[in-house]
Amino acid sequence: PFIGGKDLRARLGDEQAEALWRAYPEMNDSADFVMYWWDQSARILTAGKSILRRFGFVTTNSMTQVFQRRVTERYLSAKSPLSLVMAIADHPWTKATPDAAAVRIAMTVAEAGTHEGMVHKVVRETGLDTDAPIISFTTNEGTIHADLTVGVNITVTQFLLANEGICSPGVKLHGAGFIVTPAQADSLGLGRRTALENHIRTYRNGRDLMSRPRAVLVIDLLGLNADDVRDQYPEVYQYLLSTVKPERDRNNRETYRLNWWLFGEPRRELRPALAKLKRYIATVETARHRVFQFLDSEILPDNKLVAIGCEDAFVLGILSSRHHVLWSLRSGGWLGVGNDSVYVKSRCFDPFPFPAADDLQKHRIRQIAERLDAHRKRVLAEHEHLTLTGLYNVLEKLRAGTAPADLGTADRRAFDDGLIGILKEDHDKLDEAVAAAYGWPADLPETEILTRLVALNKERAQEEALGNISWLRPDYQIPKFGTAKDKAQLDLGGGAMRATAVAAPAGPKPAFPPTDLRQTAAVMGTLARATAPLSSTAIATTFRQGRRILPQVEAVLAALVWDGWVSQAEGDSG
């Protein structure tokens, strides 16, 4: 049942294997060609002209991922549907030999018509390498969805335009020779050849983020043709000619062979989203723990990273919250023997409904997210034995009820050096702040959170159909994806907001708050709504008290400048 690409060619021949790839391009990941046979069985079952009434399959557990479950979704929602009557989404591969595939498996049974079914979840597994493995299950009954779950159906959520254009996988090299050490970069002319620093950049992949970063750079020549490279950077040209081109010459894809000095997938759609940012948000596509963090814009992300082109800590905070992590774990699927979660842009990010937070709520979430990101970076820099995976391994044990005193020696060291008690506290506070931004109780169970997020997705999709879009990054998104009405509010020449100062809110001016925290939030809210740089006087006059609160406004601005939240024009006293 586990047919890899090479096996497929050997068994079926090149011509038939290529036909399968063309017919089922989503099935281009080795073990999942079995989905082709699932599809063929479903066709027979739903045709009504066969004695076949049920069929069952053992596949890899990646059947629940986005591309694979499209096959299932077609039949579950068809006019003459089939139903899943039994499913196990994630099961160990038992009595595996050393040469066996390192996989977790899924099991499905399908039947023609509309029926409810049983989903079994593995809760305990022991003795997997013996003749008598012990595997215990819990069982839920109901309509089984394409992701092999019952209950809330997260597979029906819709893409939201509000999130369009700022999330993408990183670059895909298709050539190991693009990666160089600092010493190699020096020998290739870095520091000697003009502007080569724009083309030899810091590089990160998933292991770099979750473990310890390698000291490697990557040669990124997008925008240059082969003659440009040879003339301007001859050392680089010769190096790639000998290390990358031979590998590309054997590639079946013509564009890869002809453009051998460029990455296979340079991600042209991602680069504009990152171009004017000082930092962006990243997460590892397949990882044990779903963690989001800021990366400096000088870092080029690998294909196994998912990059979100936004430098707002509010967005980082929402993505790092329990609400989004639960959503991503359900919508993205799981992969491999490690049963790691997979973050799929089209299902995890694009349909996710961000909360309609007010200025004070956004300010609170930003504060916690900045503190969380800084804390992790600080402890990792101070202790070489720590990794991000290690920190979250211990955090997971604490959340499961393990007391710090009961941790093993290595985990206790990580707890102490990584200050994981503070990490847990920051996450708990972030979850509370995000729940408040949604207007929900902080202690909602997981199923209720998912139910509300699915309903909110539907509500937002309906609003967007009427032209009401809550853009995550309007200055970047509106010129590219906005309506005529949206674009009328922008200076399309440079993509900047029209310099019309502060948009006057409807109704009377608000009163300036009495407390420091609310004053800070009010000033930041005014700046966020501004369409041009503002003076302290202009900010003060947006409130009922006017110039009388100028000293308080200036004090808030001074604190924000000091903390790096806002910038002040050189020579500007207000």
Side-chain angles (χ1 to χ4, degrees):
F2 296 110
I3 302 176
K6 292 181 180 178
D7 292 333
L8 193 75
R9 288 185 181 277
R11 297 183 189 190
L12 303 182
D14 287 348
E15 184 175 346
Q16 190 171 353
E18 291 291 345
L20 281 180
W21 263 303
R22 287 193 298 271
Y24 298 92
E26 67 269 29
M27 301 307 159
N28 60 7
D29 196 293
S30 61
D32 296 311
F33 277 100
V34 72
M35 291 301 294
Y36 167 76
W37 306 113
W38 202 103
D39 180 54
Q40 295 303 306
S41 300
R43 288 171 187 254
I44 296 170
L45 187 63
T46 56
K49 299 178 181 180
S50 169
I51 61 171
L52 182 65
R53 293 293 175 263
R54 282 187 173 190
F55 69 84
F57 268 87
V58 176
T59 68
T60 66
N61 67 346
S62 59
M63 180 178 180
T64 60
Q65 291 188 56
V66 173
F67 288 127
Q68 286 80 352
R69 69 185 182 220
R70 288 177 182 171
V71 175
T72 316
E73 287 171 347
R74 272 205 305 269
Y75 295 99
L76 298 184
S77 58
K79 290 183 178 180
S80 299
L82 61 73
S83 299
L84 295 172
V85 295
M86 192 286 290
I88 304 174
D90 177 62
H91 191 287
W93 187 243
T94 59
K95 198 64 185 296
T97 66
D99 297 328
V103 296
R104 304 272 301 183
I105 59 174
M107 305 180 194
T108 51
V109 175
E111 182 175 330
T114 301
H115 310 280
E116 291 192 342
M118 295 185 296
V119 171
H120 305 291
K121 180 179 180 181
V122 175
V123 293
R124 181 171 175 264
E125 51 189 68
T126 59
L128 300 183
D129 58 347
T130 72
D131 290 323
I134 299 174
I135 302 173
S136 302
F137 303 90
T138 59
T139 300
N140 290 318
E141 297 185 15
T143 300
I144 303 179
H145 309 306
D147 60 354
L148 307 189
T149 64
V150 297
V152 57
N153 187 5
I154 203 168
T155 66
V156 300
T157 55
Q158 305 174 59
F159 162 86
L160 295 178
L161 194 58
N163 302 349
E164 169 72 350
I166 60 175
C167 181
S168 170
V171 298
K172 196 170 187 177
L173 304 186
H174 285 283
F178 288 110
I179 300 175
V180 296
T181 65
Q184 287 175 310
D186 290 341
S187 70
L188 295 177
L190 186 63
R192 294 184 290 106
R193 296 292 183 184
T194 303
L196 185 54
E197 64 275 8
N198 297 329
H199 300 288
I200 297 184
R201 304 175 56 185
T202 306
Y203 188 61
R204 292 286 188 272
N205 66 9
R207 184 171 296 178
D208 292 327
L209 296 196
M210 299 307 292
S211 184
R212 305 293 297 187
R214 303 164 295 165
V216 297
L217 306 169
V218 69
I219 301 171
D220 177 21
L221 299 171
L222 184 65
L224 302 178
N225 61 40
D227 290 338
D228 293 334
V229 179
R230 185 176 56 227
D231 294 342
Q232 298 176 36
Y233 310 116
E235 297 90 349
V236 172
Y237 183 88
Q238 177 170 286
Y239 173 77
L240 296 181
L241 192 68
S242 61
T243 60
V244 173
K245 191 174 187 299
E247 181 179 346
R248 287 290 189 85
D249 285 342
R250 298 190 298 272
N251 198 292
N252 291 330
R253 187 173 296 187
E254 184 179 33
T255 56
Y256 290 176
R257 292 196 307 273
L258 297 179
N259 300 297
W260 55 267
W261 67 96
L262 300 176
F263 299 154
E265 301 294 339
R267 305 301 184 196
R268 288 177 172 85
E269 74 282 3
L270 171 66
R271 292 171 187 262
L274 305 183
K276 297 182 179 180
L277 302 180
K278 293 182 179 179
R279 61 185 185 180
Y280 62 93
I281 302 167
T283 189
V284 180
E285 181 188 64
T286 304
R288 182 181 304 173
H289 306 290
R290 184 53 49 209
V291 180
F292 297 83
Q293 60 185 290
F294 277 129
L295 295 183
D296 292 339
S297 59
E298 67 180 25
I299 296 174
L300 198 63
D302 175 79
N303 181 61
K304 294 303 180 181
L305 299 184
V306 178
I308 295 100
C310 186
E311 57 187 353
D312 188 350
F314 167 73
V315 175
L316 175 67
I318 300 300
L319 295 176
S320 301
S321 71
R322 173 177 178 242
H323 303 73
H324 182 71
V325 170
L326 286 175
W327 168 280
S328 68
L329 295 181
R330 271 293 298 273
S331 60
W334 306 84
L335 185 64
V337 68
N339 203 28
D340 294 330
S341 69
V342 182
Y343 195 86
V344 182
K345 166 192 175 294
S346 62
R347 299 305 309 164
C348 298
F349 184 84
D350 289 347
F352 182 74
F354 283 75
D358 62 32
D359 293 334
L360 182 60
Q361 291 167 337
K362 288 183 177 180
H363 177 65
R364 176 64 174 156
I365 292 170
R366 287 186 181 108
Q367 280 187 318
I368 301 171
E370 292 281 11
R371 190 167 61 219
L372 173 66
D373 193 60
H375 174 78
R376 293 181 306 207
K377 287 180 168 66
R378 181 173 60 252
V379 298
L380 291 175
E382 292 174 351
H383 302 281
E384 290 188 0
H385 70 93
L386 294 178
T387 66
L388 205 53
T389 295
L391 294 180
Y392 279 85
N393 283 342
V394 177
L395 177 60
E396 192 173 84
K397 293 178 181 179
L398 297 180
R399 286 171 167 170
T402 302
D406 296 330
L407 293 170
T409 302
D411 286 344
R412 180 67 202 207
R413 184 187 181 197
F415 175 83
D416 292 335
D417 291 347
L419 301 174
I420 296 176
I422 295 176
L423 179 68
K424 182 178 183 300
E425 183 179 69
D426 284 343
H427 271 291
D428 290 344
K429 290 181 177 179
L430 182 62
D431 291 342
E432 291 174 3
V434 172
Y438 279 109
W440 302 341
D443 59 351
L444 284 177
E446 293 183 6
T447 301
E448 181 63 21
I449 289 175
L450 292 174
T451 299
R452 294 188 182 207
L453 287 172
V454 170
L456 186 57
N457 167 271
K458 182 178 180 180
E459 180 183 320
R460 293 286 173 78
Q462 291 171 343
E463 292 173 354
E464 290 192 351
L466 298 175
N468 301 317
I469 302 168
S470 301
W471 302 98
L472 274 185
R473 195 179 154 196
D475 60 323
Y476 174 75
Q477 293 172 295
I478 290 176
K480 289 180 171 291
F481 315 111
T483 64
K485 178 181 177 182
D486 293 327
K487 292 177 181 179
Q489 301 174 21
L490 294 174
D491 177 6
L492 298 181
M497 301 296 291
R498 292 185 186 276
T500 55
V502 184
K509 291 182 179 181
F512 195 61
T515 63
D516 291 344
L517 181 61
R518 290 187 176 274
Q519 287 176 0
T520 300
V523 170
M524 292 186 72
T526 302
L527 290 169
R529 291 190 297 272
T531 58
L534 297 177
S535 68
S536 54
T537 301
I539 295 173
T541 56
T542 64
F543 296 96
R544 189 186 308 158
Q545 296 93 324
R547 291 178 177 269
R548 287 178 294 166
I549 60 168
L550 187 57
Q552 294 99 306
V553 171
E554 289 176 341
V556 171
L557 289 172
L560 292 174
V561 170
W562 177 263
D563 289 338
W565 287 94
V566 300
S567 59
Q568 185 176 22
E570 187 174 347
D572 185 0
S573 60

